[in-house]
């Protein structure tokens, strides 16, 4: 019963918290650039404003253009409901593991990329092509991170992974460190953050994600923006819950522990949001074809993480 | 008994097709007959799978062939499983053929051979001796060769058929030698005696190698795949669907029959080899597919990828079995067979879709298509389902089998040997890359063909195909969803098929409804039903919220495109431009892809030119290398052709002396 309630609560929690986290990233960047910056609540207002506008759709677009935002948003939201935030006691945790989570994000990307091609514009195609290119190396890297974590914890289910780490079976592992580094690089790429992509750019030749959704407006754009915010929060949750799981409540936890779990999760993702804003202010965007080197590095790090497990065992 | 009658029915249909080829109705009649017969076989196969274990395995001896060689037939659960997996797509192809068969370039050359092809493939499945197996195999190769050659005025089809014939002969030769070794010096050609044959280690290894080469060349394993992307697209689309979706599965059946049933002591090293070959095929196959401009060639290369994935799982199963991890071995086999079913379904669907596109527009070139989703809604929608399934998107079937393969791959390092421990992660990278590339490949294929603005007059004028063809595409699309949402029903069915091969029933955790949790309850689980239900719930919530609080108005307007009013259709991304980033990163190494841009000097009005060159490393390196060696030898041997009669007699005499010497030495 508690698992069911927690599951419902968690589903809405990630949705409600996502714009706030995006707001925190934007505020951090604004302050570091010496600007006053908008309130962290601004993304809520942006979404609401978009929702109130009429949607303009290109004459050449097909029905796929209209359903894609819904599919994308639901796929990302569903992926976010799988990943535990404050408790591992959720109804949906056994329904899907991390491989399924990667695949759900893949579904969202698949339909975003198709929507980019739908209107038949040069920019849409450019965005789709580049997005799929980034994912072609990023997604394998993430799967290899999961591979190395599953070798460490003997499971691919995120809740069981967290439980295994918290039970103190593993100390400090080189492999976990390499996997973390790889995961961070993948998260940057998947969310289109600097230095891979710039979410605020409208400079035509450097766009990836923005180019795909260029033709969207109104409620459809609101859904896509919301999906991007939920995805950012999801990746922060993956990093914080898998690699720094301390504070997460177990099955049959008391109300105090659940509250602690909530606070700990919020603190972790807020810190990550500020770190992201800080790091984005430090580096410049890289050229498109350097992305292959960046993500190839992530893939190799993840591969090393699996192989190091056995090297350290043999020594 | 039923199967015997049905097989005879196929031959009769073929004969009818040949005799009455002047009648305009014959195409519809033959394909309808094939549809009925294959449906009977599907039902029969399903019945045998359900009954397996409860009744004796039906077998039969018929006095065919040479007087002292009787033909043995047998239908165990493995054969029954493949009977279903093969005849179901064949039924769809037949249904598609009812509307399509009369419109192919040379229908008279296709219709009589279609049932013969089906006859031969089913013959391979129910054979219980090497004789029937090889004869059926050869009939299968030759009938499909003739089908590839049906468009005989096309030089490309002739070249494809030539390459295919050479590779088919090579494959049959390997299988013939493998069965020869299995039969031993006494010539015991029945499978029953082969199961108990004791072979020397060398002979055992040779059998495995030859079986891999023989079946691998038919399945399209890299580097034996060269014929596949030439031959599969050259045939009419419903035959392409059979060759890609079905005939490769017959090859997989042959491999499983030899390595898992006839031989029970294949070492894990061979499993490792298969796994690595599979990984190479998976990654390279899809990389090739990404670079293609021809829709059917793209689909054929994607078959190479999927065969690679099946080989990875089969190799893992061998490695696990040899190390005593029987439950994991069963899991890998289940994963492999699941992917066999899935690939047969969605690849047939996609090839049938390409046939529909071909009939509507006359085009296979991606860069001449576009905007078809509005013009061919049913074809477009079913093709989209197929593309999602083959890209392993949940909740469709492709994801379930890839999930199972990943789960067994993640357990690969359980085998405590350094080669497996370091090899499995590398294979994992290849498989993960293949999965991601496949998604890119099918975003490109679907996006360029069905979305955007039409790139040619033909694409603009396209209309939807007849109902029988639409139904033939809609059925596999629905099944792709069903097999994805109720995976546990499929795995429990496959588990009974796998049981006689590994002598273990998968533990209940694998079969507990609705969770698919193959290793143990905590090691990771997936429930497609729950995912779909939750997704549906979230979708309804989203729709309600957006429609209640949001503005529901929609306005149609010209394309915005950042303010550029692009009237020229060619300003859209094309198939080549979509693949450009991956071509630059991977293609420049693998395919030596070179891009050349010739800009006119400033002030001149001539157009700029862009040219792209790529070369196939395996064709140029391996195949042309072999051709060069054969040519060189032929040049030397050519001397023998122009001698006098005296010299020929001398040569014969010397040969005779040499042979007698050999005999004399051996007898001492």
């Amino acid at each position: 019963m508690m698992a069911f309630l927690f599951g419902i609560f968690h589903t809405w929690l990630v949705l409600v918290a996502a714009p706030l986290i995006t707001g925190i990233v934007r505020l951090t960047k604004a302050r570091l650039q010496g600007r006053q910056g908008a309130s962290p609540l601004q993304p809520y207002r942006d979404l609401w404003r978009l929702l109130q506008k009429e949607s303009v759709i290109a004459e050449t677009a097909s029905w796929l253009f209209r359903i894609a935002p819904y599919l994308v948003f639901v796929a990302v939201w569903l992926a976010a409901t799988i990943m535990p935030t404050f408790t591992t006691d959720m109804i949906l945790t056994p329904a899907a593991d991390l491989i399924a989570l990667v695949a759900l994000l893949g579904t969202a990307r698949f339909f975003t990329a198709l929507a980019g091609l739908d209107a038949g514009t040069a920019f849409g195609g450019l965005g789709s092509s580049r997005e799929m290119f980034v994912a072609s190396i990023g997604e394998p890297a993430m799967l290899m991170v999961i591979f190395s974590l599953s070798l460490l914890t003997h499971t691919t289910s995120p809740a069981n992974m967290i439980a295994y780490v918290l039970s103190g079976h593993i100390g400090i592992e080189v492999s976990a460190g390499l996997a973390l580094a790889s995961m961070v690089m993948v998260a940057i790429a998947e969310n289109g953050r600097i230095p891979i992509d710039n979410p605020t750019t409208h400079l035509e030749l450097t766009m990836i994600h923005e180019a795909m959704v260029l033709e969207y407006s109104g409620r459809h754009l609101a859904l896509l923006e919301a999906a991007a915010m939920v995805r950012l929060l999801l990746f922060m949750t993956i990093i914080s819950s898998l690699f720094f799981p301390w504070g997460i409540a177990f099955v049959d936890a008391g109300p105090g522990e659940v509250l602690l779990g909530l606070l700990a999760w919020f603190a972790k993702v807020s810190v990550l949001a500020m770190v992201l804003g800080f790091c984005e202010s430090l580096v410049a965007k890289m050229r498109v074809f350097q992305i292959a080197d960046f993500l190839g590095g992530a893939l190799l790090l993840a591969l090393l993480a699996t192989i190091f497990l056995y090297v350290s065992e043999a020594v | 008994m039923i199967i015997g009658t049905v097989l005879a029915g196929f031959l009769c249909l073929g004969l009818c097709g040949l005799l009455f080829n002047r009648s305009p109705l014959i195409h519809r009649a033959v394909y309808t007959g094939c549809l009925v017969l294959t449906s009977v076989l599907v039902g029969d196969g399903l019945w045998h799978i359900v009954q397996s274990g409860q009744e004796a395995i039906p077998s039969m001896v018929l006095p065919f062939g040479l007087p002292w060689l009787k033909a043995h037939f047998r239908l165990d659960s493995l054969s029954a499983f493949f009977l279903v997996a093969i005849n179901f797509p064949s039924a769809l192809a037949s249904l598609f053929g009812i509307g399509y068969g009369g419109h192919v370039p040379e229908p008279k050359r296709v219709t009589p051979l279609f049932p013969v092809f089906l006859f031969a493939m089913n013959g391979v499945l129910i054979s219980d001796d090497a004789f029937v197996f090889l004869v059926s195999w050869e009939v299968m190769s030759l009938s499909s060769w003739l089908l590839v050659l049906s468009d005989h005025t096309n030089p490309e089809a002739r070249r494809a058929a030539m390459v295919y014939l050479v590779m088919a002969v090579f494959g049959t030769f390997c299988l013939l030698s493998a069965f020869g070794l299995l039969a031993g010096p006494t010539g015991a050609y029945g499978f029953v005696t082969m199961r108990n044959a004791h072979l020397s280690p060398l002979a055992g290894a040779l059998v495995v190698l030859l079986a891999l080469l023989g079946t691998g060349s038919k399945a399209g394993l890299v580097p034996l795949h060269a014929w596949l992307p030439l031959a599969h697209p050259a045939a009419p689309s419903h035959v392409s669907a059979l060759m890609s979706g079905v005939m490769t599965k017959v090859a997989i059946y042959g491999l499983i029959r030899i390595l898992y049933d006839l031989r029970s002591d294949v070492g894990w090293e061979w499993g490792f080899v298969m796994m690595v070959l599979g990984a190479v095929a998976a990654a390279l196959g899809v990389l090739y597919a990404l670079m293609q401009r021809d829709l059917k060639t793209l689909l054929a290369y994607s078959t190479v990828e999927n065969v690679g994935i099946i080989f990875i799982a089969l190799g893992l199963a061998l490695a696990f079995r040899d190390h005593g991890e029987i439950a994991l071995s069963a899991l890998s086999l289940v994963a492999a067979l699941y992917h066999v079913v899935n690939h047969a379904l969605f690849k047939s669907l996609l090839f049938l879709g390409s046939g529909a596109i071909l009939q509507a527009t006359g085009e296979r070139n991606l860069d001449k298509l576009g905007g078809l989703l509005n013009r061919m809604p049913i074809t477009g929608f079913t093709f989209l389902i197929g593309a999602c399934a083959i890209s392993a998107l949940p909740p469709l079937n492709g994801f379930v089998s890839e999930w199972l393969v990943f789960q067994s791959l993640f357990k690969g390092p359980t085998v405590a040997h350094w080669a497996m421990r370091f090899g499995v992660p590398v294979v994992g990278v290849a498989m993960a890359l293949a999965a991601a590339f496949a998604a890119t490949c099918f975003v490109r294929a679907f996006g360029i063909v069905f979305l955007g603005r039409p790139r040619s007059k033909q694409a603009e004028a396209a209309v939807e195909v007849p109902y029988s063809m639409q139904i033939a595409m809609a059925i596999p699309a629905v099944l792709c969803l069903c097999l994805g949402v109720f995976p546990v029903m499929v795995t429990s069915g496959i588990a009974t098929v796998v049981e006689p091969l590994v002598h273990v029933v998968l533990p209940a955790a694998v079969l507990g409804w609705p969770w698919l949790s193959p290793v143990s309850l905590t090691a990771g689980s997936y429930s497609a039903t729950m995912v779909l239900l939750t997704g549906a719930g979230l979708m309804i919530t989203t729709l309600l919220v957006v429609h209640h609080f949001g503005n529901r108005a929609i306005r149609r307007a010209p394309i915005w495109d950042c303010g550029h009013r692009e009237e020229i259709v060619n300003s859209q991304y094309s198939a080549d431009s979509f693949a450009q980033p991956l071509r630059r990163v991977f293609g420049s190494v693998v395919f030596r892809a070179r891009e050349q841009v010739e800009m006119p000097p400033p002030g001149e009005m001539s157009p700029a030119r862009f040219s792209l060159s790529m070369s196939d490393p395996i064709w140029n390196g391996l195949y042309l290398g072999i051709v060069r060696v054969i040519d060189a030898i032929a040049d030397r041997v050519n001397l023998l052709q122009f001698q006098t009669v005296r010299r020929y007699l001398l040569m014969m005499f010397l040969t005779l002396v040499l042979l007698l010497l050999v005999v004399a030495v051996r007898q001492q």
Side-chain angles (χ1 to χ4, degrees):
Chain A
M1 189 58 207
M2 283 317 277
F4 186 72
L5 286 181
F6 282 147
I8 302 269
F9 177 68
H10 165 85
T11 306
W12 288 102
L13 177 72
V14 285
L15 193 58
V16 171
L20 179 63
I21 296 299
T22 303
I24 294 178
V25 177
R26 287 185 192 163
L27 184 65
T28 315
K29 284 176 79 172
R31 287 288 157 85
L32 285 171
Q33 289 162 358
R35 289 188 285 122
Q36 178 73 36
S39 134
L41 300 179
Q42 185 60 33
Y44 295 98
R45 297 184 201 127
D46 288 346
L47 287 179
W48 183 255
R49 180 178 44 103
L50 282 174
L51 213 52
Q52 299 308 316
K53 289 188 178 250
E54 75 171 344
S55 183
V56 184
I57 293 181
E59 282 152 356
T60 49
S62 65
W63 51 263
L64 191 82
F65 193 79
R66 288 175 62 179
I67 64 160
Y70 292 93
L71 287 174
V72 170
F73 177 73
V74 167
V76 173
W77 194 10
L78 188 58
T81 57
I82 295 165
M83 191 67 216
T85 47
F86 60 96
T87 175
T88 58
D89 185 22
M90 291 190 310
I91 184 94
L92 267 183
T93 38
D97 63 351
L98 286 175
I99 305 175
L101 189 145
V102 172
L104 280 171
L105 291 174
T107 308
R109 189 185 314 115
F110 192 89
F111 282 98
T112 323
L114 284 185
L117 287 166
D118 198 6
T121 62
F123 282 130
L126 176 136
S128 302
S129 163
R130 289 185 176 175
E131 173 89 354
M132 293 313 288
F133 159 63
V134 170
S136 291
I137 318 177
E139 194 187 275
M142 187 158 169
L143 277 171
M144 289 311 289
V145 170
I146 296 169
F147 190 179
S148 57
L149 291 181
S150 86
L151 289 178
L152 268 172
T153 60
H154 310 290
T155 175
T156 54
S157 145
N160 294 336
M161 256 182 204
I162 292 166
Y164 192 87
V165 175
L166 283 181
S167 63
H169 282 309
I170 32 180
I172 299 204
E173 286 271 352
V174 182
S175 293
L178 292 173
L180 173 62
S182 176
M183 188 69 222
V184 170
M185 290 162 92
V186 172
I188 290 170
E190 291 274 325
N191 286 293
R193 310 301 302 195
I194 294 174
I196 301 292
D197 187 9
N198 187 347
T200 54
T201 189
H202 281 279
L203 191 64
E204 290 139 7
L205 292 178
T206 56
M207 289 188 286
I208 298 181
H209 185 82
E210 289 298 310
M212 277 193 297
V213 301
L214 213 51
E215 293 292 320
Y216 275 111
S217 54
R219 59 178 184 277
H220 297 128
L221 185 59
L223 281 170
L224 288 169
E225 295 270 313
M229 292 170 187
V230 174
R231 183 165 46 216
L232 181 64
L233 178 63
L234 170 61
F235 271 92
M236 288 180 174
T237 309
I238 292 175
I239 291 171
S240 68
S241 292
L242 288 185
F243 294 93
F244 311 100
W246 295 280
I248 294 177
F250 284 143
V251 181
D252 299 327
E257 289 168 58
V258 172
L259 201 65
L260 180 75
L262 262 176
L263 287 176
W265 170 71
F266 192 73
K268 282 184 278 190
V269 289
S270 309
V271 168
L272 279 177
M274 283 185 248
V275 171
L276 176 66
F278 182 71
C279 293
E280 282 201 319
S281 306
L282 288 182
V283 291
K285 195 183 160 305
M286 60 171 69
R287 286 182 57 220
V288 169
F289 286 100
Q290 283 174 339
I291 294 174
D293 296 336
F294 180 84
L295 284 173
L299 184 59
L300 278 183
L301 277 180
L303 181 63
L304 275 183
T306 56
I307 287 175
F308 253 91
L309 273 179
Y310 296 111
V311 174
S312 60
E313 201 174 84
V315 171
Chain B
M1 201 55 216
I2 299 173
I3 296 175
T5 324
V6 169
L7 292 195
F10 279 133
L11 284 185
C12 290
L13 277 177
L15 206 61
C16 291
L18 197 61
L19 290 179
F20 305 109
N21 66 4
R22 280 163 200 278
S23 157
L25 283 176
I26 188 66
H27 306 298
R28 281 168 184 273
V30 168
Y31 287 116
T32 313
C34 288
L35 172 62
V36 173
L37 294 181
T38 43
S39 310
V40 171
L41 287 181
V42 171
D44 195 49
L46 279 176
W47 189 76
H48 278 287
I49 292 177
V50 173
Q51 294 290 311
S52 71
Q54 294 169 19
E55 57 167 38
I57 296 168
S59 59
M60 199 188 271
V61 182
L62 290 177
F64 288 152
L66 299 170
W68 62 93
L69 284 176
K70 290 203 173 76
H72 297 75
F73 300 94
R74 184 163 166 273
L75 187 73
D76 61 1
S77 52
L78 183 67
S79 298
F81 169 78
F82 273 91
L83 211 57
V84 178
I86 278 170
N87 283 294
F88 190 78
S90 306
L92 295 172
S94 311
L95 179 59
F96 193 82
I98 295 174
Y100 185 71
H103 300 277
V104 299
E106 293 270 355
K108 282 179 200 169
R109 289 170 185 269
V110 177
T111 308
L113 285 165
F114 189 83
V116 177
F117 186 33
L118 293 179
F119 161 80
M121 288 195 289
N122 283 300
V124 173
L125 297 186
I126 59 167
S127 62
D128 195 33
D129 63 48
F131 181 69
V132 179
F133 186 97
L134 285 170
V135 169
S136 309
W137 184 275
E138 201 55 12
V139 173
M140 172 177 92
S141 298
L142 289 178
S143 54
S144 53
W145 171 69
L146 283 168
L147 284 166
V148 169
L149 202 52
S150 63
D151 187 12
H152 62 108
T153 50
N154 181 352
E156 274 180 35
R158 285 206 300 269
R159 171 167 175 254
M162 179 66 200
V163 177
Y164 177 32
L165 191 64
V166 172
M167 292 305 288
V169 168
F170 170 76
T172 312
F173 165 75
C174 290
L175 279 181
L176 184 67
S177 319
F179 280 124
L181 282 170
L182 275 170
T186 54
Y189 67 100
F191 283 173
V192 187
T193 42
M194 284 184 188
R195 279 188 192 97
N196 305 318
H198 291 286
L199 296 183
S200 68
L202 178 67
L206 266 179
V207 166
V208 179
L209 180 68
L210 289 167
L212 263 181
L213 287 176
T215 56
S217 70
K218 190 60 91 193
L221 199 60
V222 172
L224 303 169
H225 70 284
W227 63 275
L228 193 148
L230 297 173
H232 287 191
S237 293
H238 60 307
V239 179
S240 310
L242 280 192
M243 292 181 73
S244 235
V246 178
M247 192 171 69
T248 53
K249 307 304 174 298
V250 177
I252 304 259
Y253 163 79
L255 188 73
I256 296 178
R257 180 60 79 197
I258 297 174
L259 293 196
Y260 296 82
D261 185 23
L262 300 186
R263 307 291 305 150
S264 51
D265 57 347
V266 182
W268 69 269
E269 299 88 350
W270 288 106
F272 185 75
V273 169
M274 279 167 69
M275 204 174 73
V276 171
L277 284 176
V280 172
L284 261 187
V286 70
L287 204 56
Y288 272 105
L290 254 172
M291 304 296 150
Q292 302 309 315
R293 284 175 208 153
D294 181 313
L295 181 59
K296 287 176 75 176
T297 313
L298 180 152
L299 293 176
Y301 271 119
S302 142
T303 297
V304 176
E305 181 224 341
N306 283 281
V307 165
I309 291 172
I310 296 170
F311 264 79
I312 291 177
L314 287 177
L316 276 169
L318 269 186
F320 284 135
R321 185 177 74 174
D322 199 34
H323 277 91
E325 301 275 0
I326 303 297
L328 287 177
S329 174
L331 169 68
S332 312
L333 263 184
V334 169
L337 292 184
Y338 208 135
H339 203 70
V340 163
V341 177
N342 290 345
H343 182 246
L345 268 179
F346 48 61
K347 191 47 65 69
S348 310
L349 164 61
L350 291 170
F351 261 117
L352 297 182
S354 77
I357 295 165
L358 197 58
Q359 181 165 334
T361 64
E363 274 298 339
R364 284 163 33 176
N365 187 343
L366 294 176
D367 287 336
K368 293 273 166 60
L369 297 164
L372 290 183
L373 190 59
N374 285 329
R375 292 165 180 80
M376 305 169 73
I378 301 292
T379 307
F381 184 69
T382 51
F383 200 94
L384 178 63
I385 301 272
C388 291
I390 203 168
S391 308
L393 303 186
L396 296 170
N397 59 352
F399 174 69
V400 181
S401 50
E402 286 205 11
W403 187 82
L404 285 170
V405 176
F406 269 119
Q407 284 290 349
S408 41
L409 199 61
F410 284 6
K411 291 290 163 202
T414 327
V415 175
H417 190 282
W418 63 268
M420 286 294 281
R421 292 200 152 171
F422 292 107
V424 164
V426 178
V427 171
V429 170
M431 164 108 186
L433 277 173
F437 285 167
T440 309
C441 178
F442 281 92
V443 165
R444 174 175 175 264
F446 184 83
I448 302 290
V449 173
F450 285 98
L451 304 177
R453 291 172 283 165
R455 293 177 178 80
S456 65
K457 290 244 161 37
Q458 295 94 312
E460 199 157 8
V463 283
E464 188 58 282
V465 291
Y467 283 118
S468 69
M469 290 163 73
Q470 291 180 23
I471 295 170
M473 292 183 285
I475 294 172
V478 171
L479 272 172
C480 279
L481 184 66
C482 291
L483 291 193
V485 179
F486 306 110
V488 182
M489 289 165 68
V490 188
T491 49
S492 55
I494 297 177
T496 61
V497 174
V498 165
E499 196 204 320
L501 298 179
V502 288
H503 310 293
V504 70
V505 189
L506 279 178
V510 186
L511 312 173
W513 201 89
W515 314 107
L516 200 60
S517 52
V519 187
S520 72
L521 277 174
T522 55
S525 51
Y526 169 66
S527 166
T529 328
M530 292 287 285
V531 166
L532 186 69
L533 284 178
T534 318
L538 295 185
M539 179 62 94
I540 292 167
T541 318
T542 312
L543 282 171
L544 284 177
V545 168
V546 169
H547 279 230
H548 192 258
F549 295 105
N551 184 340
R552 289 157 70 173
I554 280 189
R555 183 158 56 89
R556 288 280 179 173
I559 304 172
W560 179 51
D561 200 25
C562 260
H564 302 243
R565 285 294 291 271
E566 307 245 9
E567 306 296 340
I568 310 164
V569 171
N570 284 340
S571 69
Q572 294 180 86
Y573 249 49
S574 68
D576 277 337
S577 41
F578 191 90
Q580 184 232 26
L582 281 171
R583 190 173 61 228
R584 282 216 185 151
V585 172
F586 294 96
S588 57
V589 183
V590 181
F591 304 112
R592 292 209 215 127
R594 296 282 176 273
E595 292 166 2
Q596 228 173 358
V597 183
E598 284 173 29
M599 295 294 275
E604 204 171 302
M605 298 300 282
S606 65
R609 297 250 167 242
F610 172 83
S611 61
L612 171 68
S613 72
M614 282 199 278
S615 72
D616 181 343
I618 295 173
W619 181 260
N620 291 343
L622 184 65
Y623 285 82
L624 292 188
I626 292 174
V627 168
R628 272 194 293 275
V629 170
I630 291 176
D631 274 351
I633 293 173
D635 276 350
R636 298 282 156 78
V637 178
N638 199 12
L639 281 178
L640 293 177
Q641 211 179 342
F642 306 103
Q643 306 288 338
T644 58
V645 175
R646 195 165 45 88
R647 286 212 180 160
Y648 281 129
L649 285 174
L650 182 70
M651 276 191 265
M652 282 162 76
F653 174 71
L654 286 178
T655 316
L656 210 60
V657 169
L658 194 73
L659 286 177
L660 285 171
L661 268 176
V662 170
V663 172
V665 169
R666 285 203 50 157
Q667 273 184 347
Q668 290 225 323

